[in-house]
Amino acid sequence: MSPTRRGFIAAAGAALAAGACAPALRLASRKKHDLVIRGGTVFDGTGAPGVEADVAISGGIVTGVGRDIAGVGRDEVDARGNAVAPGFVDVHSHGDESLFDDPRSESVIRQGVTTIVVGQDGSSRAPSRRPVTAAAMVRGALGTSGAFESMHELFRAVNNLPPAVNVASMVGLGTIRGLVVGEDDRPATPGELRQMRALVEGALADGACGASTGLEYAPGSFASRAELIDLCRPLAPRGLPYATHMRNEDDTLIEAVDEAVAIARGAGCPLQISHLKTSGPRNWHKIGDALGRIDAAKAAGLDVAFDRYPYVAYQTGLTNLFPIWALDGGTGAFLDRLAAPDSAGRIRAATLGKVEKLAGWNSVMISGVANPADRGAEGQRLGDYAAKLGEDPYALAVALLQRSRTDVGTVVFAMSEENLQRFLAHPSGMVCSDGGAFALEGPARRGHPHPRGLGSFPRVLGRYVRETKTLSLESAIHKLSGFAASRLGLADRGRLAPRMAADVVVFDPATVADRATFAEPFQYPRGIDIVVVNGAVALRDGQRSGARRGRALRPSGVTL
């Protein structure tokens, strides 16, 4: 082990003395394990300091953690000088956008992530009125997808792939509203509310790990607080969370936090605030108030936490810059309003007001378009691109939406680095990517994505542990693994201990780093040496194996 690597691990709190490590689960000296990871500094995912130990794996299960485990492995890994941690759990992922087209999930595995939690922002692939074939799951530049009739059918399709990573899913309340109520901005009738409640109950019975909303996106944005409380009540007896992309993350952020707390409290369920942020310079000062309200809710007995990706730009659809009332009725109605004399001016004024709060059109980068003729826009700042074409930026934005039938993605630069570090360090905060799964080649190389889909987890370990020291190594690993798994009822994930599922990541704390950038997103991270999924090595020394041992995961106690 190099002095640099040893020094970093020691500084992170690793107890390397023999007495600091719990006794190994002793096995017969002749016993053969499937895999033994030898001599690394093991962080168990609970937030405890690391200890020098071996990890033995057989049958997809961790069978021992301790010093000098007896017996030999059919495969052995020398992890001396490296950190050994539970496989990371991405608590808010969109990795299913390419899953059925490319189940390798390259950018996910290469970050050390072994479980993705999809069905986020109010949108899930189930339930649906009718199933679609796996081949139709991903269509178009931005991964426009079909859906499955039930969560059970979705999980069966996942297991039939099989994927390289484990997949858990929330049920999207926006999806359910669209299925029952439609795209219109109106209250649900009592009968519709009963029907939606039954769909939530069915999805949870099938193994959904929570319910999500995207309250800035139609049609989920049209749901009232009372409706959301009613739909979240089935979460309470299961102890599963309500995960919300709140109604606002900028000028009315504090009111949105209050609403999220009120919904969870009214339903009696845990609350998970998705990708918590203070968007726009005029709102950066609100971080203390936002965190204070979360702390107060927790002190009053609410089970509340939040997640955040380690970047100061977010990714969303271009329609997010437009007023939500303009989306009433769906895509066709929105496009009609953009051109109609009685609404076009009001839409323009509202959109320009929002862009002004973001510091202009160059705060907006186009990440993907459905219309092939507009691919030149991908990776371009909208203000500069409009100037290059000699067009008005707003008119260009409208034209892009029209030509792609609103299927246009953006990356928006609006957040504070100082606030980001405060979010990451907060004891109720955990880490997510909020990103998709990408690859340097094949169908998962698409658009010009936010780098979070290729770099979030190593970025935390490199920049925010090693460089800025925002987090200790043991605290970061807890946020990346055990904390996230515990929120979702994934009782056999997120910790390295006997009888836990054998999802493991081995990385070099002295070199681990993200390489994807906003200018050049298609770059894999460095310093992730070994990734094991359900006992099978998926990545070794930068080389992918052919193993795809991922499977659908359900909360503890849900069996089908």
Side-chain angles (χ1 to χ4, degrees):
M1 169 173 34
S2 72
T4 300
R5 193 180 296 180
R6 181 181 293 278
F8 183 85
I9 295 178
L16 300 179
C21 183
L25 179 66
R26 291 292 175 183
L27 304 172
S29 60
R30 293 183 180 178
K31 180 173 179 64
K32 286 202 170 192
H33 313 281
D34 291 343
L35 174 66
V36 181
I37 301 171
R38 300 277 187 190
T41 301
V42 174
F43 295 83
D44 66 5
T46 66
V51 295
E52 191 174 283
D54 302 336
V55 177
I57 294 168
S58 286
I61 302 296
V62 176
T63 54
V65 179
R67 288 272 194 167
D68 302 323
I69 282 181
V72 297
R74 295 179 178 87
D75 189 6
E76 297 226 355
V77 171
D78 181 357
R80 288 174 295 178
N82 286 305
V84 181
F88 302 145
V89 177
D90 190 347
V91 73
H92 186 110
S93 168
H94 297 282
D96 57 330
E97 290 179 354
S98 61
L99 186 70
F100 288 87
D101 210 34
D102 188 351
R104 298 174 302 162
S105 298
E106 283 286 332
S107 70
V108 176
I109 286 290
R110 289 175 181 275
Q111 292 184 68
V113 173
T114 56
T115 296
I116 58 174
V117 184
V118 300
Q120 300 293 348
D121 297 324
S123 178
S124 57
R125 296 181 180 276
S128 172
R129 284 192 178 90
R130 55 185 180 274
V132 297
T133 63
M137 283 297 294
V138 177
R139 298 193 302 268
L142 299 183
T144 303
S145 68
F148 289 94
E149 212 167 12
S150 67
M151 201 63 68
H152 175 72
E153 292 301 316
L154 169 62
F155 290 153
R156 185 167 69 174
V158 167
N159 287 336
N160 284 342
L161 279 174
V165 296
N166 301 308
V167 181
S169 181
M170 295 196 169
V171 58
L173 299 187
T175 293
I176 283 180
R177 189 171 224 274
L179 183 63
V180 175
V181 179
E183 300 291 325
D184 297 340
D185 183 1
R186 65 170 178 82
T189 67
E192 288 169 339
L193 195 57
R194 286 192 297 272
Q195 187 178 353
M196 288 193 288
R197 173 81 173 259
L199 289 171
V200 173
E201 292 271 14
L204 294 174
D206 281 352
C209 61
S212 76
T213 55
L215 299 183
E216 283 194 298
Y217 305 128
S221 56
F222 303 142
S224 68
R225 182 181 300 187
E227 176 182 313
L228 295 173
I229 289 172
D230 192 63
L231 296 184
C232 286
R233 285 197 174 105
L235 298 167
R238 298 170 168 90
L240 294 175
Y242 164 57
T244 179
H245 175 143
M246 296 185 298
R247 214 173 286 276
N248 184 272
E249 298 175 315
D250 44 67
D251 286 356
T252 57
L253 166 68
I254 303 306
E255 294 86 344
V257 172
D258 288 343
E259 181 187 46
V261 168
I263 290 167
R265 186 171 283 143
C269 67
L271 171 62
Q272 183 77 18
I273 298 177
S274 298
H275 43 62
L276 182 60
K277 63 177 71 73
T278 51
S279 184
R282 63 194 279 161
N283 297 301
W284 290 353
H285 71 281
K286 295 179 180 178
I287 184 172
D289 198 357
L291 291 176
R293 287 167 189 256
I294 290 169
D295 292 340
K298 194 173 184 71
L302 184 67
D303 182 358
V304 55
F306 63 87
D307 49 70
R308 175 59 192 268
Y309 45 84
Y311 297 89
V312 295
Y314 61 87
Q315 185 166 14
T316 189
L318 182 57
T319 56
N320 190 244
L321 294 178
F322 291 72
I324 194 65
W325 58 263
L327 298 170
D328 182 11
T331 297
F334 171 61
L335 292 175
D336 288 344
R337 289 189 186 101
L338 287 176
D342 64 338
S343 56
R346 289 193 296 141
I347 294 173
R348 177 186 173 93
T351 303
L352 292 179
K354 187 162 187 177
V355 171
E356 183 180 357
K357 295 173 187 177
L358 296 172
W361 286 105
N362 272 344
S363 296
V364 181
M365 184 180 77
I366 301 300
S367 61
V369 294
N371 177 38
D374 283 321
R375 291 284 159 75
E378 294 178 345
Q380 300 286 332
R381 299 292 184 118
L382 212 155
D384 288 343
Y385 190 55
K388 178 181 175 182
L389 298 178
E391 297 187 26
D392 171 71
Y394 176 80
L396 176 59
V398 169
L400 290 171
L401 288 170
Q402 290 170 332
R403 292 194 291 262
S404 283
R405 297 287 298 173
T406 74
D407 202 353
V408 180
T410 62
V411 170
V412 182
F413 297 82
M415 293 174 281
S416 156
E417 174 68 21
E418 179 183 350
N419 284 5
L420 167 58
Q421 293 188 39
R422 287 182 65 181
F423 285 132
L424 292 176
H426 193 276
S428 294
M430 61 191 74
V431 176
C432 72
S433 76
D434 194 14
F438 301 93
L440 301 191
E441 81 295 320
R445 180 169 183 135
R446 62 194 194 281
H448 189 99
H450 193 302
R452 64 193 183 185
L454 296 99
S456 289
F457 289 77
R459 182 172 177 81
V460 168
L461 297 169
R463 176 169 174 77
Y464 295 106
V465 173
R466 187 177 62 245
E467 296 175 8
T468 69
K469 297 180 172 49
T470 301
L471 296 165
S472 69
L473 185 54
E474 56 265 35
S475 175
I477 289 171
H478 173 58
K479 288 172 179 284
L480 301 178
S481 59
F483 192 9
S486 69
R487 295 292 291 164
L488 306 166
L490 304 179
D492 63 343
R493 310 283 158 169
R495 290 186 295 120
L496 278 184
R499 293 175 293 279
M500 298 294 287
D503 294 344
V504 188
V505 57
V506 180
F507 64 92
D508 180 359
T511 64
V512 63
D514 61 308
R515 297 177 62 240
T517 67
F518 289 102
E520 298 290 341
F522 286 104
Q523 300 184 79
Y524 295 138
R526 65 172 181 263
I528 307 285
D529 298 325
I530 303 285
V531 179
V532 178
V533 180
N534 292 317
V537 176
L539 178 75
R540 188 195 299 261
D541 298 329
Q543 299 299 312
R544 284 298 308 276
S545 75
R548 299 210 314 259
R549 294 288 184 85
R551 61 176 183 262
L553 299 183
R554 299 173 174 86
S556 177
V558 178
T559 57
L560 293 173

